[in-house]
Amino acid sequence: MPFTFSIYDFTGFTQWIDATLRGACSPFWAVLWEMVIVGVLFLAFYAVVGLYLVYAERKVCAFIQNRVGPNRVGPYGFFQTIADLIKLLMKEIISIREADKLLFNLAPFIVIVTSFLALAAIPFAKGLHPIDLNIGVFYVMAISSMGVVGILLAGWSSNSKYSLLGAMRSGAQIISYELSVGMALVTMCVLAGSLQLSVIVEQQRDLWFIFKGHFPAVTAFIIYMIAATAETNRGPFDLAEAESELAAGFHTEYSGIKFAFFFLAEYMNMFIVASLAATVFLGGWMPFHIPGLESFNHVMDFIPPVLWYIGKTAFIILLMMWFKWTFPRLRIDQLLNLEWKFLLPISLVNILIMAFIVLMGWYIGL
Amino acid sequence: MTEEIIIKEAPEQEISINMGPQHPSTHGVLRLVLSLKGEMVQKVEPHCGYIHRGIEKMTESMTYQQIIHLTNRLDYLSAHMNNAAVCLAVEKALDIEVPERVKVIRTIIEELARIASHQLWWCSFGMDLGGLTCFFYGLRDREKILDIFEETTGSRLIQSYNCPGGLMADLHPDFQRKVKEFIVYFRKLLPEYDELLSGNIIMMERSKGIGVMTKEQAISYGMTGPSGRGSGFSCDVRKHHPYHAYDKVKFNEVLRTEGDTYARYMVRIDEMRESMNIIEQLIDNIPAGDFAVKMKPIIKLPEGEYYQRVEAARGEFGIYIISKGEKYPYRMKFRSPNFSNLSALDALTRGHKIADLVAIGGSLDYVIPDIDR
Amino acid sequence: MREIINYFKSIFFALKSLWTGMKVTGSYFFRPWTIITQQYPENRKTLKMFERTKGELVMPHNDKNEHQCTACGICQMNCPNGTIAITSLSIETPDGKKKKALDKYIYNLGMCTFCGLCVKVCPSDAIVFSNKFEHAVFNKNKLVKTLNKEGSTLKKGVE
């Protein structure tokens, strides 16, 4: 098969790789090599994006606070995170005598593996969709729920009262806010009519969902943003790792590379949540089309879908960082209050309104 | 952070926790021993004394001009007010009348120091609650005041600018212009503080109704300063016993009646506005004249006891001198406002959670070197 | 019914207050030209400190290597800390009177509290504060400085 590569559609390229591998060796080995290639690419992607999200957070935080941020290690401080990573790798790994060693060592891996798995179902561009499950949204939600297990294990096995307190708080927070995230996503699945992520993206070809389902979609977006920042322990909901209160939370007893794992997993969770929002609300890799203006749509099509995807995810990540550096922290009882008394009832009513709108056909566009 | 946990054998499962001397949100070295039941605080015991330097004893072997450099280091954010207390006490005892120019300049610099102190309070309060950007905005604005101080007095934080009889040096020629520019700049920026923190729903939820102190309690604990005025206790020394040029300017004493953390917060923000009003009234009419009265090189106070009170940024700072007619005081005692304010921490925090303790401590605004002297 | 209205009113009030706060921080994010951070070691050539900044105590010498210190010791008496130590010699003037002359003026930068009393009480304006502020050393003994230079003499006419 001749070599094809188009930045607008990666299906040609992936089919070329598949055909070459099948031609070169038996189907079993071809599939195995494909899995290895995808695995290595993902590891590299994970590491690079994780590192540069930390750098981006430090720069965004600095500009919001009217100062410069890292600017000495490399041009504009670009290699600052690599220097931090080398420092963390060289730190002494303190092992606790009374701790449960197996669980203590297992917890960071669970957190990293779950965020890694969830990344597999998200469509990055046309043709760059690693696994196209027909229950895509459900799969991502289920895998993110497993992250709680890692946090609770970390708190329990540290054998310290403060870690346990922090882990319990964090666990209660995450499982409460998962409900709201699920409800917000279900609202959009009602509008799309399917749980499959590629179908959801295809349906936003005319107009993105946030404009298409007007009132309930915007409400669902706001609820999703609040619940997603709470679920990833970020922003005004980061009392589990609050620096100015009693303890550093569930990862107090971790040092060196294990702490780096928790830190990295938190940033990648933020990336996953943001890309899910970009896919379901803002159209995934679809360019911005306005139904009826053909020339405008043609201009928008000029920008490759990969850049659209990266831009939308970056916008949502910027929004989440903006939340973190503006607002003070909530107390634990106020946080749970917010979820059970405000977010959940509103999202339930929102689903009803959205279902009604879909049935009556009262959405913008076709 | 170092925290030890001592689990007491108690049937109600009450645990006793140390918020140790090193902690990000007790501003300084203060050890708080908390008794918790779950998340509710049952009792708070402050243990102070980690930064006791024996200042009151040191003053017994120093002349009055040398004591100025010690009082600077008590409550370093109201350094100028503390110096002014010593100078006023000495001048009153020796019956010296300082020129009008000195009084007006002392008032202006004291009000600038008060604004700077409240800016630093706002920074750390926002940071304790979790809104980390407040820290940088407050410090950036405070830099302008510190630059004004450095140009005139030579130091930013600890300015030994007062001396008995007047000032150490005259004002820098650029002083008036820079102060006027600062007032214009800060008046425009102060509403941003309100938008960012005061009007925020999260901050209101965390501070309204928390740590309520009634007026009778405030009077009996001796809580003066903005913390006392948040409960309705009218205790401003500048109004009741005016000194310097305070009787010539018009300003309001900011009082609120609710007595919770939010009231104490708003009192300080409004006080910054009042300070700017005072400076505006005085900055254009600084009378010409000498900047100091010629004093003898060795000052000896006549025998007797003298007390002088000033309004520091945190409350009423008092200085009590017993002199036996020599060049060193026989005994000098400082009435520190932070000590009385801290004694009310226990009564304020009972029944609240740990996160509220941090907010209440921030609203009381204590500076530890003043407690320990 | 009123409770439902209050419920929604409180939600709108909360969202509006959060949005106002975000506007403030957002306005700083999009204006990076308002940053006032000075890049310190790189801007040393153009850095100008204020003239009255109390950096360290110096004894100004003129071109003929003369200073104005008569070794009266008033600054040493007034210093609260014992930072200044003056050693003096006894010399004979041409008139036959015995006078004090300065041998060594030792100033301990590590102990100075920068109160300014020594500068204020000096009768011959011999010492001033300079605005040099970079004093970091690796050895504490280097902070003890001798202020009068080698071979300097008292300026004529200073009492």
Side-chain angles (χ1 to χ4, degrees):
Chain A
M1 193 180 161
F3 175 65
T4 48
F5 182 78
S6 156
I7 197 151
Y8 291 98
D9 193 347
F10 283 93
T11 38
F13 182 58
T14 45
Q15 279 173 354
W16 173 78
I17 295 184
D18 192 41
T20 350
L21 279 173
R22 275 178 206 273
C25 37
S26 66
F28 169 71
W29 283 104
V31 171
L32 198 66
W33 277 114
E34 277 173 10
M35 283 160 66
V36 167
I37 292 177
V38 172
V40 166
L41 272 177
F42 258 78
L43 274 174
F45 178 74
Y46 198 84
V48 168
V49 169
L51 282 179
Y52 281 96
L53 270 183
V54 176
Y55 169 73
E57 161 125 50
R58 286 174 75 161
K59 275 300 219 190
V60 164
C61 151
F63 282 149
I64 288 181
Q65 293 167 352
N66 217 7
R67 59 189 176 91
V68 181
N71 67 342
R72 285 190 192 272
V73 187
Y76 295 106
F78 217 55
F79 301 135
Q80 176 75 40
T81 342
I82 299 187
D84 284 336
L85 181 67
I86 296 178
K87 174 200 80 165
L88 274 174
L89 282 174
M90 298 200 304
K91 275 199 187 253
E92 173 193 357
I93 301 188
I94 303 174
S95 59
I96 309 177
R97 195 162 41 119
E98 306 278 339
D100 194 333
K101 286 219 179 22
L102 175 67
L103 294 179
F104 189 75
N105 293 330
L106 190 60
F109 288 105
I110 292 186
V111 177
I112 287 251
V113 164
T114 49
S115 60
F116 205 73
L117 282 176
L119 202 59
I122 303 200
F124 292 107
K126 191 172 173 67
L128 265 193
H129 195 170
I131 306 178
D132 194 5
L133 296 166
N134 58 349
I135 47 162
V137 171
F138 183 61
Y139 167 79
V140 174
M141 284 301 307
I143 292 286
S144 336
S145 313
M146 274 175 46
V148 188
V149 175
I151 293 178
L152 287 175
L153 278 184
W156 170 257
S157 60
S158 301
N159 201 24
S160 147
K161 194 156 257 210
Y162 284 123
S163 304
L164 190 60
L165 202 67
M168 288 296 160
R169 277 178 174 177
S170 178
Q173 176 185 332
I174 293 184
I175 58 180
S176 313
Y177 279 90
E178 260 171 16
L179 274 174
S180 290
V181 170
M183 296 284 171
L185 288 177
V186 160
T187 316
M188 300 320 283
C189 293
V190 164
L191 184 56
S194 153
L195 283 175
Q196 193 170 0
L197 277 167
S198 52
V199 169
I200 293 182
V201 173
E202 270 303 313
Q203 290 213 344
Q204 298 183 59
R205 185 175 284 279
D206 303 321
L207 192 60
W208 294 348
F209 275 170
I210 195 173
F211 300 118
K212 192 167 178 187
H214 33 91
F215 179 63
V218 172
T219 319
F221 182 64
I222 297 178
I223 293 178
Y224 182 83
M225 286 313 294
I226 298 178
T229 42
E231 196 183 330
T232 52
N233 267 337
R234 263 194 75 82
F237 308 99
D238 61 350
L239 50 84
E241 29 186 78
E243 290 146 9
S244 49
E245 294 184 22
L246 275 180
F250 55 87
H251 55 65
T252 322
E253 307 287 341
Y254 285 91
S255 58
I257 190 63
K258 298 194 190 130
F259 171 72
F261 276 170
F262 276 115
F263 200 54
L264 199 63
E266 180 184 317
Y267 280 95
M268 285 315 285
N269 269 337
M270 180 170 75
F271 180 79
I272 289 168
V273 153
S275 36
L276 203 59
T279 310
V280 166
F281 290 98
L282 294 179
W285 45 261
M286 278 294 173
F288 180 53
H289 288 158
I290 299 182
L293 294 181
E294 284 312 316
S295 45
F296 178 74
N297 294 349
H298 207 66
V299 168
M300 289 287 130
D301 277 344
F302 198 59
I303 307 176
V306 190
L307 286 183
W308 278 106
Y309 171 76
I310 293 178
K312 289 173 203 177
T313 314
F315 169 68
I316 305 244
I317 291 182
L318 180 69
L319 209 60
M320 289 174 76
M321 289 183 183
W322 198 353
F323 285 164
K324 170 166 181 159
W325 295 107
T326 311
F327 302 131
R329 222 170 267 135
L330 270 84
R331 257 190 352 229
I332 182 74
D333 60 322
Q334 290 168 347
L335 203 143
L336 295 174
N337 220 13
L338 175 68
E339 157 67 16
W340 294 100
K341 287 197 196 167
F342 287 91
L343 288 186
L344 193 61
I346 295 182
S347 36
L348 285 173
V349 171
N350 206 26
I351 296 181
L352 282 178
I353 298 181
M354 178 64 99
F356 186 64
I357 287 186
V358 168
L359 276 177
M360 302 295 283
W362 284 349
Y363 36 81
I364 304 179
L366 298 159
Chain B
M1 286 178 285
T2 61
E3 304 100 14
E4 312 159 337
I5 314 157
I6 309 155
I7 305 182
K8 273 196 327 214
E9 276 312 318
E12 308 92 7
Q13 294 184 323
E14 212 174 88
I15 58 175
S16 157
I17 290 186
N18 231 352
M19 256 169 102
Q22 304 127 309
H23 195 276
S25 49
T26 60
H27 312 282
V29 275
L30 179 69
R31 177 176 173 212
L32 293 172
V33 180
L34 312 168
S35 254
L36 298 176
K37 202 190 240 176
E39 277 242 9
M40 303 295 232
V41 173
Q42 304 292 110
K43 192 164 93 131
V44 176
E45 254 180 57
H47 290 224
C48 47
Y50 284 87
I51 195 170
H52 177 70
R53 296 154 289 177
I55 290 189
E56 291 180 1
K57 181 70 183 170
M58 280 202 274
T59 59
E60 291 176 12
S61 50
M62 294 203 173
T63 64
Y64 291 96
Q65 293 102 325
Q66 293 171 339
I67 287 178
I68 305 275
H69 100 102
L70 281 180
T71 50
N72 263 338
R73 285 153 171 88
L74 283 174
D75 177 4
Y76 42 79
L77 291 172
S78 348
H80 199 82
M81 285 73 135
N82 298 354
N83 292 350
V86 177
C87 298
L88 284 173
V90 169
E91 286 154 13
K92 202 164 68 170
L94 293 177
D95 257 336
I96 297 177
E97 185 71 27
V98 287
E100 277 300 308
R101 183 179 172 85
V102 169
K103 287 190 189 165
V104 171
I105 294 179
R106 276 180 179 171
T107 315
I108 296 177
I109 295 199
E110 261 183 40
E111 292 306 314
L112 281 175
R114 198 182 306 271
I115 298 180
S117 165
H118 285 323
Q119 277 171 333
L120 189 65
W121 158 78
W122 190 76
C123 299
S124 47
F125 187 66
M127 192 174 71
D128 283 343
L129 283 189
L132 297 157
T133 35
C134 307
F135 192 66
F136 291 96
Y137 291 164
L139 283 183
R140 173 201 61 191
D141 300 329
R142 189 167 175 252
E143 277 300 304
K144 300 217 157 35
I145 299 187
L146 295 184
D147 277 344
I148 296 177
F149 281 158
E150 190 177 1
E151 213 176 11
T152 304
T153 70
S155 324
R156 285 154 55 101
L157 189 66
I158 313 271
Q159 323 98 11
S160 324
Y161 192 48
N162 276 330
C163 65
L167 305 167
M168 285 268 206
D170 207 349
L171 290 177
H172 195 267
D174 270 345
F175 182 77
Q176 274 181 310
R177 179 181 60 93
K178 285 206 170 171
V179 170
K180 283 202 244 196
E181 277 171 12
F182 169 73
I183 292 192
V184 168
Y185 166 83
F186 196 51
R187 273 231 163 134
K188 228 172 25 169
L189 271 186
L190 198 51
E192 254 182 35
Y193 288 14
D194 275 333
E195 285 172 12
L196 189 54
L197 200 58
S198 328
N200 200 333
I201 180 74
I202 302 179
M203 192 285 197
M204 287 205 225
E205 288 290 310
R206 274 194 79 169
S207 55
K208 282 201 174 158
I210 305 285
V212 179
M213 171 145 270
T214 60
K215 186 168 165 188
E216 287 76 29
Q217 270 183 311
I219 298 180
S220 66
Y221 275 108
M223 260 172 94
T224 52
S227 321
R229 291 200 273 279
S231 310
F233 174 29
S234 160
C235 54
D236 198 340
V237 181
R238 299 174 288 173
K239 282 272 191 207
H240 293 295
H241 309 266
Y243 53 96
H244 290 170
Y246 284 115
D247 38 4
K248 299 193 189 57
V249 287
K250 281 211 263 290
F251 66 100
N252 300 329
E253 182 180 357
V254 185
L255 280 178
R256 280 192 185 235
T257 48
E258 300 97 34
D260 59 1
T261 304
Y262 192 68
R264 293 192 277 272
Y265 174 93
M266 287 311 290
V267 163
R268 288 193 172 90
I269 300 272
D270 288 332
E271 267 194 9
M272 282 203 257
R273 293 202 173 93
E274 292 298 323
S275 293
M276 285 201 285
N277 286 347
I278 296 179
I279 298 178
E280 252 183 354
Q281 288 172 41
L282 289 177
I283 191 70
D284 280 321
N285 322 322
I286 304 183
D290 260 342
F291 62 86
V293 169
K294 199 106 181 68
M295 305 268 290
K296 293 207 231 22
I298 298 189
I299 300 179
K300 288 189 185 169
L301 290 191
E303 220 172 293
E305 303 174 355
Y306 308 98
Y307 185 75
Q308 175 67 36
R309 51 166 77 136
V310 293
E311 177 80 11
R314 284 162 182 77
E316 178 184 316
F317 179 77
I319 181 166
Y320 175 63
I321 308 180
I322 303 181
S323 168
K324 293 253 191 285
E326 295 156 11
K327 62 178 178 176
Y328 301 145
Y330 178 71
R331 169 84 168 103
M332 193 180 246
K333 158 106 177 86
F334 302 112
R335 188 259 176 207
S336 101
N338 292 305
F339 192 71
S340 322
N341 289 359
L342 184 69
S343 62
L345 189 64
D346 186 27
L348 284 173
T349 329
R350 284 203 183 182
H352 289 300
K353 305 188 178 51
I354 303 177
D356 297 324
L357 169 71
V358 172
I360 293 174
S363 77
L364 284 182
D365 188 23
Y366 43 76
V367 167
I368 311 290
D370 202 19
I371 300 178
D372 294 342
R373 273 160 271 147
Chain C
M1 189 60 201
R2 174 170 305 181
E3 286 161 7
I4 299 184
I5 296 185
N6 280 344
Y7 182 81
F8 281 107
K9 255 201 199 162
S10 65
I11 293 181
F12 279 116
F13 172 70
L15 285 176
K16 181 157 167 286
S17 75
L18 294 180
W19 171 241
T20 330
M22 278 174 68
K23 265 199 307 205
V24 171
T25 43
S27 76
Y28 282 110
F29 177 68
F30 288 112
R31 287 185 295 162
W33 54 85
T34 51
I35 294 180
I36 57 172
T37 314
Q38 298 181 2
Q39 307 279 354
Y40 167 55
E42 283 93 18
N43 69 346
R44 283 179 76 203
K45 293 199 179 18
T46 52
L47 190 60
K48 226 168 74 71
M49 299 295 292
F50 297 113
E51 339 159 319
R52 295 193 194 179
T53 304
K54 295 184 194 158
E56 91 177 298
L57 198 67
V58 290
M59 188 184 291
H61 290 68
N62 62 6
D63 326 318
K64 302 192 223 130
N65 208 10
E66 292 171 341
H67 60 78
Q68 292 169 276
C69 176
T70 55
C72 57
I74 294 184
C75 56
Q76 186 178 354
M77 280 194 291
N78 266 298
C79 176
N81 237 359
T83 305
I84 301 180
I86 299 183
T87 47
S88 54
L89 312 162
S90 188
I91 57 169
E92 283 228 10
T93 58
D95 308 341
K97 286 195 275 215
K98 281 203 186 292
K99 230 169 57 158
K100 273 205 287 202
L102 181 66
D103 181 22
K104 273 219 277 223
Y105 191 106
I106 299 178
Y107 166 69
N108 189 346
L109 183 57
M111 278 179 33
C112 180
T113 55
F114 300 99
C115 59
L117 283 173
C118 52
V119 172
K120 182 168 177 252
V121 300
C122 178
S124 39
D125 292 331
I127 41 177
V128 289
F129 271 112
S130 87
N131 59 3
K132 222 170 73 70
F133 60 92
E134 292 159 340
H135 299 310
V137 290
F138 286 102
N139 189 347
K140 225 159 73 158
N141 298 335
K142 295 211 181 83
L143 286 178
V144 180
K145 303 186 177 191
T146 309
L147 288 191
N148 59 330
K149 296 195 191 145
E150 289 292 322
S152 57
T153 52
L154 181 59
K155 194 160 125 178
K156 302 258 181 306
V158 176
E159 196 26 53

